[in-house]
Amino acid sequence: MSLIGRVYLVGAGPGDPGLLTLRARELIESCDVLVFDYLVNPIIHGWASDRCEQIDVGKSPGLKKSAEQAQIESILVDRAKAGKRVVRLKGGDPFIFGRGGEEIEALNASGIPFEIVPGVTASLGAAAYSGIPLTHRGISSSVTMVTGHEAPDKDGLRVDFAAISRQGGTLAIYMGVSTLPRIVEQLLEGDCRPSTPVGVIEWATYFRQRSVFGDLGNIVEKVQESGIKSPAMILIGEVVNCHESYNWFKKGALRGQRIVITRARDQASELRLKLESLGAEVLEIPMIQTEPAILKQDLSEVFAEIATYEWIVFTSPNGVRYFFELFLRAFKDIRSFGGMRVACIGEATAKELEPYHIAVDLVAPKAVAESLAEALIETDSLDSANVLVVTGNRNRDTLVSELEQNGRAIVDKLQVYSTNLAKVADSAAAQSYRENGADYVVFSSSSTAQAWSQLSDQLVVNEGVKAARFVSIGNVTSKALSNNNLPVDLQADSANLDSLIDAIIEDSD
């Protein structure tokens, strides 16, 4: 008898990846199958491993709702019966208008074990990210969460809003934009006044969040004028008036800008965090992926002679990570690294050495091979010196040739990783870019520029979508863009992330 797997019903929150629980992320990163709704931020299901089967159940046109739900339940049961570890990732919280109970009933009926991981429900996220306290001493001491969906017979609403209006407190209405005129009508027929404050928040907690504020007397007209559509949360009550003084989310030099970053996923986090802290919506579409790639003979020879090198040169953060992973397998003591001096192509590469407590003797003024070679030659320490250059499969030969010819060094090159094209065609982030475009696409290396050119047929935006401005981190990357017939709309003054971001801020003003 085969071993039955397990299903985890996980709340993905309203959109901002930072709102997920640690348990949620742990499960997403380790699961065999990820079943997700269309409202789940693509960044979140991007946390899944490459071996994970990802199933988007949020886009099934032509299926009735009952059939769609039955299909989802069948997927969960079938994958679990195959012994898989299945995460059912649901927008918001599984038990607040998430149909989590129905899925549990299906799992119980089939004898499938499960676990529930709660999430931040949309009303909490919408309120917090628009500066509305759902409760406030002296203003509101209760919150009522209801659905704005129509009743199955379409003759009315599922909820008696006239009756709810008599409860007072704050009213949070899910899925109610399309039925807003009837909701307002019923509330006014109850105990609500036309002056009762209302806020409607679209895509709450996303960086494209939009809000409209008014009162029951004018909110329908204001929503129609704004073009706000689902998904949106409706908040009603006196606490809505707090939004003007409590709102923190609109601040940021890049608020409203949608920026694509093309770095490999394991390198993207620093740039993403910097951009998001300035209010940008960041879409990760890694153009390249790295993996260990070594010739065992080369590695054996280098490690056998490790004490003879006078310089070790790292050309990328990836090189540092992969080198020390191999080094610490071969040597159990970091002191085996010896007394050689260390040079790095830029500050980001140097920073990668910090966890190993190894001091960096030289960092190139500019994060390009030419600058590093010039700085090393100026030390007057290379004549007949043994130098080890740690690199990947796509690095240019400029550095090695300069050190050998002009520095008269004896250079060994050790490849520890390979850089290959990423799979982007079916990624949710790439689909979002094709459908909605972006304001900027950021290239932080020549390899990402080359990869974009090779994958460009999978990244064509839909007709009518505004073309993004291409941003380069420096001259080498700009040259790669130009050589691949891609535009260079913007270039950083210096080849580092902060300068890159400054260029975008100045351009977006």
Side-chain angles (χ1 to χ4, degrees), residues 432-454:
S432 178
Y433 173 73
R434 290 190 292 264
E435 291 177 357
N436 305 300
D439 296 289
Y440 298 94
V441 178
V442 175
F443 297 91
S444 54
S445 68
S446 57
S447 57
T448 58
Q450 293 162 2
W452 186 281
S453 176
Q454 292 173 268

Side-chain angles (χ1 to χ4, degrees), residues 254-265:
L254 291 175
R255 176 68 55 206
Q257 301 297 318
R258 195 168 201 244
I259 301 175
V260 172
I261 55 178
T262 57
R263 301 184 107 189
R265 182 162 283 120

Side-chain angles (χ1 to χ4, degrees), residues 41-331:
N41 193 321
I43 292 173
I44 296 171
H45 43 85
W47 296 341
S49 68
D50 292 338
R51 64 174 177 77
C52 175
E53 178 188 9
Q54 297 200 28
I55 305 173
D56 183 349
V57 295
K59 297 179 180 178
S60 301
L63 289 177
K64 295 181 181 179
K65 287 186 178 180
S66 58
E68 182 180 338
Q69 185 61 28
Q71 182 186 33
I72 294 170
E73 292 163 6
S74 177
I75 290 170
L76 300 180
V77 170
D78 291 348
R79 296 304 192 278
K81 282 186 174 179
K84 303 292 186 181
R85 183 180 171 95
V86 183
V87 166
R88 170 68 171 112
L89 196 56
K90 304 174 76 66
D93 179 90
F95 281 173
I96 299 183
F97 307 115
R99 306 186 75 168
E102 296 171 53
E103 292 172 9
I104 286 177
E105 289 171 6
L107 297 173
N108 270 334
S110 299
I112 305 295
F114 60 87
E115 178 181 322
I116 310 299
V117 180
V120 174
T121 188
S123 61
L124 302 185
Y129 279 57
S130 54
I132 300 173
L134 290 177
T135 64
H136 191 296
R137 180 176 294 186
I139 301 176
S140 174
S141 59
S142 66
V143 182
T144 304
M145 299 179 186
V146 296
T147 177
H149 261 185
E150 295 174 316
D153 58 13
K154 302 287 185 179
D155 290 334
L157 299 167
R158 293 173 183 261
V159 175
D160 185 345
F161 284 94
I164 281 190
S165 71
R166 301 181 185 101
Q167 296 178 8
T170 307
L171 181 59
I173 304 173
Y174 293 67
M175 302 169 285
V177 172
S178 62
T179 56
L180 183 58
R182 281 185 289 167
I183 291 171
V184 168
E185 182 182 353
Q186 284 197 17
L187 289 172
L188 292 175
E189 288 174 357
D191 283 356
C192 287
R193 304 181 311 278
S195 60
T196 303
V198 183
V200 182
I201 300 95
E202 177 188 65
W203 288 107
T205 79
Y206 281 84
F207 289 97
R208 61 182 180 271
Q209 173 180 310
R210 291 195 302 155
S211 303
V212 171
F213 297 96
D215 55 44
L216 287 177
N218 61 25
I219 194 64
V220 172
E221 181 181 356
K222 285 193 170 188
V223 168
Q224 290 172 347
E225 289 175 353
S226 70
I228 279 182
K229 294 180 172 55
S230 180
M233 174 61 56
I234 303 168
L235 300 176
I236 302 174
E238 296 301 323
V239 289
V240 173
N241 283 333
C242 296
H243 78 90
E244 292 184 2
S245 55
Y246 289 12
N247 197 345
W248 58 273
F249 189 57
K250 287 184 179 179
K251 298 177 175 62
L254 291 175
R255 176 68 55 206
Q257 301 297 318
R258 195 168 201 244
I259 301 175
V260 172
I261 55 178
T262 57
R263 301 184 107 189
R265 182 162 283 120
D266 58 356
Q267 294 178 291
S269 60
E270 182 182 3
L271 177 57
R272 177 176 59 80
L273 290 172
K274 285 176 179 286
L275 291 169
E276 287 182 344
S277 70
L278 293 168
E281 177 187 0
V282 178
L283 203 58
E284 289 186 49
I285 310 180
M287 290 290 99
I288 55 176
Q289 56 189 19
T290 60
E291 56 189 20
I294 55 170
L295 293 174
K296 291 185 178 180
Q297 181 65 30
D298 289 351
L299 186 67
S300 298
E301 292 176 1
V302 165
F303 281 175
E305 302 293 328
I306 196 73
T308 68
Y309 291 106
E310 295 166 62
W311 281 97
I312 184 169
V313 181
F314 293 102
T315 61
S316 71
N318 284 322
V320 174
R321 285 194 292 270
Y322 287 113
F323 175 84
F324 279 100
E325 183 178 326
L326 294 166
F327 181 86
L328 293 173
R329 279 191 213 159
F331 302 97

Side-chain angles (χ1 to χ4, degrees), residues 459-472:
L459 295 162
V460 178
V461 296
N462 292 347
E463 187 176 350
V465 174
K466 183 183 74 172
R469 288 171 62 75
F470 281 21
V471 187
S472 164

